[in-house]
Amino acid sequence: MTAVLGETMVPAVSEGSLSRDALAAPVSGLFRDARMNREQGQADGAGEGARSSDADLARRLERLSQTLDVERREHAEVARSRETGSASYGAAYRLASEFVAGVLVGAGLGWGVDRLAGTAPWGLVIFLLLGFAAGVVNAIRSASNLTQSSADADGHGGGKPH
Amino acid sequence: MDEAVAQAVESNKVDPVHQFGIHDIFGLGNFGRIHLGFTNSGLFMVVVVLLVIAFMLLASSRRAVIPGRLQSLGEIAYEFIANMLREAAGPEAMKFFPFVFSLFMFVLVGNLLGLIPYFYTITSQIIVTFGLALSVILTVIIYGFYKNGAKFLGLFVPAGVPGYLIPIVLPIEVISFLSRPVSLSVRLFANMLAGHITLKVFAGFVVTLSAAGALGTAGAVLPFLMTVALTALEVLVAFLQAYVFAILTCMYLNDALHPSH
C-alpha cells in the first residue's frame, strides 16, 4: 500500500500553493458519491470497474481515495489527540453505566423468574450474582476497547479490525 | 422584594424537576384505558426532526465544489459518522449509514435543543432513549440472524472457552447482551436528567440568594458563575452523549456483521 501511496500523493496534493485543508474539502465533496458507490459495490460483492470505458476513471478514483484515506487518518489522529479531556469523561460514564446495567438486568431477570416460578429469593440471588459478573465482563470489555482504540491512535493508525 | 421574584423563588425551590413534566398540547381522546394526546414531548420530537431535515436539505441544496458554511457543516457531519461506522464495523456496514446518521442527528439536536431555556429535553425521558436503544438492538438481532443464521448465537460463546465453562459463561454473556440496550438508554437519559437538574438547582440558588438583600446579591455571583460553567459543560455532554450513542451503535452493528470476532 505504501508503494502505491508514494506515487499517488503527487497528483492530488502538489497543486500549487493550496493548503492541504483547502484542497481536501472540495475534493472530498466532489468525489464522495463515487467513493460511496464503489464501497457499496464492494459490499454487495460485485466486481468494480466492470465497464472498460470506466476503467481509467475507476483507477484514478482508487488512487484518489487512497490519498484521501491517508489524509483522513492524519486528521483523525490530530482530532483524537485534541479531545482527550472530553474522551476520558465519556469513558468514565461508559464504564460506570456498563457495570450498572449488567447488575440491573440481572436483578430484573431474577425478579421476573421469581414471580413466574415462585422460587422466592433464589432467582433474585442467583441472577443478581450472574448480573454482577456480566457487569464486570461489560466493563472490562469496553475498557479493553477503549485502550485498543487509543493505542491505534497513538501508533500507525492503520489496521481495521476484520 | 417584589411579587414576581417571590413567585420565582417559590417555583424554583419547590420543583427542579418541573421542567420534565409532560402535558397534552391537544388531546386525541381515550381508547379504552389508553390516553392519547399530542404532548410537549411529541412537539419537540417533531421540531427536532424538522430541524434535522431542514438542515440537511439546506446543506445539500447548493452542492458547490467549494462548500459554503452550511455545506461544510453537512459534510463534516457526514464524514464524522461515515468514518466512525467504517472504522468500527468495516466498509460493508455503510448500508446502515442512514440509520446511524439519523440516530446521531436526532439525539444530538434533541440534546442541544433542550439546553435552550423553556425548551423540553426529549432525551431526558427514559422511554424515548430506551425506544431508540431498542431499535438498535432489534436491528442487530434481526440482521444478525438474517445474515449469519444460527452462527449469530456464537456471539454468546467467546472463542477459546473450554466446554465445561460454557454453562457458566453462557448466562453471563446473555445477560451482558441484554444489558446493552439498558446501558445505552440509561446513560443518555441519566446524563441529560442529571445535567438539567443540576443547572436548575444552581440557577435557583441565584434567585433565592438575590432575594435576600444586598449581601445575598453579592453572594449570588458564585452560583451564577457555576451556572455559566455548567451550561458549557452541558453543551459538551450533549455532543459527547450523541457521539457515544452513535459509536456504540456502530460497535453493536459490528457484532451483527461479524459475530465471531
Side-chain angles (χ1 to χ4, degrees), chain A residues 80 94 142-155, chain B residues 87 243 247:
Chain A
R80 254 180 225 161
R94 232 170 96 181
S142 60
S144 71
N145 260 332
L146 287 171
T147 50
Q148 197 184 339
S149 61
S150 67
D152 276 356
D154 292 342
Chain B
E87 265 176 38
Y243 168 73
I247 196 154

Side-chain angles (χ1 to χ4, degrees), chain B residues 87-111:
Chain B
E87 265 176 38
E92 65 269 38
M94 280 303 278
K95 64 174 77 114
F96 288 112
F97 176 80
F99 177 56
V100 179
F101 189 77
S102 312
L103 272 180
F104 175 75
M105 291 306 274
F106 185 74
V107 172
L108 178 65
V109 175
N111 288 352

Side-chain angles (χ1 to χ4, degrees), chain B residues 148-167:
Chain B
N148 306 293
K151 264 199 298 182
F152 183 63
L153 291 174
L155 192 68
F156 298 124
V157 186
V161 172
Y164 58 89
L165 273 182
I166 284 180

Side-chain angles (χ1 to χ4, degrees), chain A:
Chain A
M1 181 155 175
T2 40
V4 188
L5 283 178
E7 63 163 86
T8 54
M9 289 297 278
V10 181
V13 183
S14 68
E15 287 191 11
S17 60
L18 276 176
S19 82
R20 188 185 270 162
D21 283 357
L23 185 68
V27 165
S28 68
L30 236 188
F31 288 104
R32 170 167 314 120
D33 288 350
R35 207 165 71 226
M36 257 191 88
N37 285 343
R38 198 165 42 72
E39 277 159 5
Q40 215 66 45
Q42 279 175 348
D44 296 7
E48 52 180 301
R51 277 145 294 171
S52 58
S53 60
D54 293 342
D56 187 44
L57 180 65
R59 200 160 41 79
R60 286 195 342 237
L61 279 175
E62 177 68 23
R63 282 196 293 170
L64 180 70
S65 78
Q66 272 171 355
T67 18
L68 284 173
D69 264 352
V70 173
E71 195 90 355
R72 204 189 292 143
R73 268 184 215 133
E74 280 168 6
H75 275 296
E77 271 173 42
V78 171
R80 254 180 225 161
S81 60
R82 232 182 296 160
E83 70 180 16
T84 41
S86 61
S88 54
Y89 179 87
Y93 255 111
R94 232 170 96 181
L95 293 186
S97 63
E98 295 285 3
F99 178 71
V100 171
V103 177
L104 280 182
V105 169
L109 275 181
W111 184 77
V113 165
D114 276 348
R115 258 183 83 101
L116 288 177
T119 49
W122 297 110
L124 192 59
V125 170
I126 290 167
F127 274 95
L128 202 55
L129 287 175
L130 284 174
F132 182 79
V136 174
V137 168
N138 280 347
I140 289 172
R141 207 165 268 167
S142 60
S144 71
N145 260 332
L146 287 171
T147 50
Q148 197 184 339
S149 61
S150 67
D152 276 356
D154 292 342
H156 37 79
K160 286 174 189 171
H162 245 297

